[in-house]
Amino acid sequence: MNYMRRILSVFAGSIFITFVSFGQFEPKQLKSEDFENIKISLGGDFALQYQLLKHHAEAELIPLGTGFNLPTANLNTSALLAPGISVVLETYLSSRHHNETWVKGGYITIDELPFLKSEGIDRIMDYLTLRVGDMEINYGDAHFRRSDNGNVINNPFVGNYIMDAFSTQVGFEALYRNKDWFLMGAVSNGSLKPALTGYSPADSTYVTYDTHKELAFYWKTGFDKQFNDYFRLRLSLSGYHCPDNHSGSLYNSERAGSRYYFVMNKVSYSPNDVDVTKNHTSGNYGPGTTKKGNSIMANFFTRYHGFEVFATYENFKGTSPADVESKFSQYAVEGLYRFGKEQQFYTGLRYNAVKSDIGEDQSVNRIQIAAGWFLIKQIILKLEYVKQNYMDFATYGSDNAGFDGVMFEAAISF
């Protein structure tokens, strides 16, 4: 009973406020000196948008009103279990795709292996971080700067990339860091939703899925150096390779949903036209669910005083579950300037374009102009103008299709 009281006391006393700057990528290693006893930390994220968008196409689109979007919230629980060993549980309390509470993922991070009591292992772990569980996979650097349901504090804009490489999968990652260089290798089940057996109602047949035959492999290497208090440079190259999977989900795992509600939804005179859970990826464009896929992403990040640049190039080649081949390429570049006594204000511009070989080379491009204000480090207000264009989409009737307008967003992360 006394032990439980101490644990509860630590839990109550260790709720803390966290803030991650725009330049944060992989977390630093935990060291043995960081551990005194078991510590449980509780945090949360809450975001709300006000949408003033309009869309157009030759095809008939549903009418768009203006107003508040569905509020979204996250609950984050973490625990320091032993020297260099921590665990995280991430929960979506409310999201566009799932209005009810559900678990995003849970994983353990190992920076030390004190239970092995080996000096040789300890020296290896000075450079190595292991992560295992059902987690947001560390493919590319763009996922560090995206909005994740209620957690939007790291994204200076309101919307994410058009082709959004984000997935939670059951996997194992090994990250090696030595001074300014890093190298990671990883393996996962390749899919958002693990399954043992599938059923086809079309021909009344069952099919078995074997995880060891559907594995995905991904990696990352790069250079990251803080030259002084004012200048940082990071370069990275990542790859994701899935030879065969019944439901490859690198580009089809956004269960939280797009920030641009109902844009480009065609009229079908069905309640689904205005159901936020049925159209949760509105404004996105990419390969979707895949059977086979090879992706490469290159990222560049630099910050000098208040100026910041982040750039991405990504290439995908693979097949759909119906064995239809496709190729997609994406590039994005954004520039920010942060100012104020504590750099609590910023303004920024992002250009993002995606092209595929579907039809006669379909393409989508988007420009985002944003301004933001950190009232305190845990509260942010954003204003964004967005304009997106669709080219060679027969479903919209012509090249004169797209949406534009203004988004307001307010968020708290603690």
Side-chain angles (χ1 to χ4, degrees):
M1 182 63 69
N2 289 335
Y3 178 75
M4 288 302 298
R5 286 198 188 99
R6 289 198 297 270
I7 293 295
L8 291 173
S9 176
V10 169
F11 173 80
S14 63
I15 295 177
F16 64 95
I17 292 175
T18 59
F19 168 68
V20 182
S21 72
F22 291 153
Q24 179 65 50
F25 295 96
E26 291 84 6
K28 293 182 178 180
Q29 280 191 306
L30 292 172
K31 297 299 181 182
S32 56
E33 54 265 28
D34 299 325
F35 181 82
E36 295 180 359
N37 48 36
I38 295 176
K39 293 182 179 179
I40 302 175
S41 303
L42 184 67
D45 308 286
F46 177 83
L48 178 64
Q49 306 84 40
Y50 193 89
Q51 178 172 307
L52 300 98
L53 300 179
K54 57 184 179 180
H55 57 190
H56 61 277
E58 281 191 7
E60 187 178 6
L61 305 178
I62 67 169
L64 284 182
T66 61
F68 291 103
N69 288 336
L70 176 75
T72 55
N74 299 3
L75 177 65
N76 309 306
T77 307
S78 63
L80 188 59
L81 303 178
I85 300 178
S86 64
V87 65
V88 172
L89 175 65
E90 299 171 315
T91 304
Y92 288 168
L93 298 179
S94 175
S95 69
R96 179 177 173 183
H97 189 37
H98 288 268
N99 304 149
E100 72 280 4
T101 298
W102 51 282
V103 174
K104 173 192 172 185
Y107 58 90
I108 188 169
T109 301
I110 301 173
D111 290 310
E112 295 188 7
L113 294 169
F115 50 86
L116 295 182
K117 302 184 186 303
S118 167
E119 292 184 2
I121 295 295
D122 290 345
R123 286 193 293 270
I124 293 174
M125 294 305 295
D126 285 340
Y127 303 95
L128 196 62
T129 295
L130 308 177
R131 199 163 67 116
V132 61
D134 191 349
M135 58 198 179
E136 178 179 329
I137 64 170
N138 187 13
Y139 161 70
D141 283 349
H143 72 103
F144 290 114
R145 297 171 66 89
R146 69 188 299 279
S147 295
D148 182 18
N149 201 47
N151 181 10
V152 306
I153 205 100
N154 295 320
N155 184 357
F157 301 88
V158 175
N160 294 324
Y161 280 1
I162 297 169
M163 189 169 81
D164 192 12
F166 163 82
S167 186
T168 52
Q169 300 176 9
V170 178
F172 169 80
E173 297 177 355
L175 174 63
Y176 173 82
R177 288 178 277 199
N178 190 348
K179 296 181 180 178
D180 306 319
W181 299 90
F182 60 90
L183 175 65
M184 184 203 71
V187 60
S188 75
N189 69 321
S191 182
L192 171 68
K193 295 177 64 176
L196 301 178
T197 307
Y199 174 72
S200 173
D203 52 9
S204 300
T205 59
Y206 294 88
V207 59
T208 58
Y209 304 130
D210 301 307
T211 299
H212 66 281
K213 298 178 181 179
E214 296 193 323
L215 295 176
F217 304 90
Y218 57 102
W219 53 270
K220 179 188 289 190
T221 186
F223 172 85
D224 190 349
K225 183 176 179 63
Q226 186 77 47
F227 289 89
N228 51 47
D229 291 341
Y230 309 108
F231 179 48
R232 180 179 178 184
L233 176 66
R234 177 181 169 104
L235 300 165
S236 71
L237 181 66
S238 306
Y240 181 94
H241 314 284
C242 189
D244 189 10
N245 196 292
H246 74 280
S247 183
S249 61
L250 178 61
Y251 301 100
N252 193 34
S253 287
E254 174 54 300
R255 291 178 291 178
S258 159
R259 284 299 188 244
Y260 307 126
Y261 281 52
F262 296 135
V263 295
M264 308 309 293
N265 282 5
K266 294 176 62 178
V267 168
S268 68
Y269 298 99
S270 163
N272 290 341
D273 293 349
V274 293
D275 185 340
V276 294
T277 66
K278 297 292 193 301
N279 303 281
H280 70 288
T281 59
S282 51
N284 292 3
Y285 178 60
T289 303
T290 59
K291 181 178 181 181
K292 300 179 182 179
N294 289 288
S295 296
I296 296 291
M297 182 185 291
N299 295 107
F300 168 85
F301 171 80
T302 189
R303 185 174 181 185
Y304 182 71
H305 290 275
F307 292 95
E308 187 172 302
V309 175
F310 182 73
T312 297
Y313 174 77
E314 185 174 15
N315 184 272
F316 164 86
K317 181 179 180 180
T319 64
S320 71
D323 288 319
V324 177
E325 294 186 356
S326 65
K327 297 178 183 178
F328 286 78
S329 61
Q330 171 171 246
Y331 65 89
V333 60
E334 62 191 57
L336 293 175
Y337 178 62
R338 302 176 71 184
F339 58 97
K341 185 177 180 181
E342 298 180 354
Q343 294 191 339
Q344 70 271 33
F345 303 104
Y346 70 85
T347 184
L349 173 68
R350 174 193 284 168
Y351 181 76
N352 183 195
V354 176
K355 185 176 181 179
S356 78
D357 63 353
I358 297 174
E360 296 180 6
D361 295 331
Q362 290 182 349
S363 64
V364 183
N365 63 67
R366 177 194 296 168
I367 187 169
Q368 294 163 271
I369 303 172
W373 176 22
F374 284 94
L375 282 69
I376 59 175
K377 289 184 177 180
Q378 298 81 26
I379 302 177
I380 187 172
L381 299 177
K382 304 180 191 178
L383 171 64
E384 176 189 276
Y385 170 76
V386 59
K387 181 177 177 61
Q388 182 160 315
N389 300 303
Y390 293 77
M391 276 72 70
D392 196 42
F393 280 75
T395 185
Y396 294 134
S398 73
D399 286 345
N400 184 27
F403 66 89
D404 68 289
V406 173
M407 298 287 298
F408 295 92
E409 185 169 56
I412 302 173
S413 288
F414 64 90

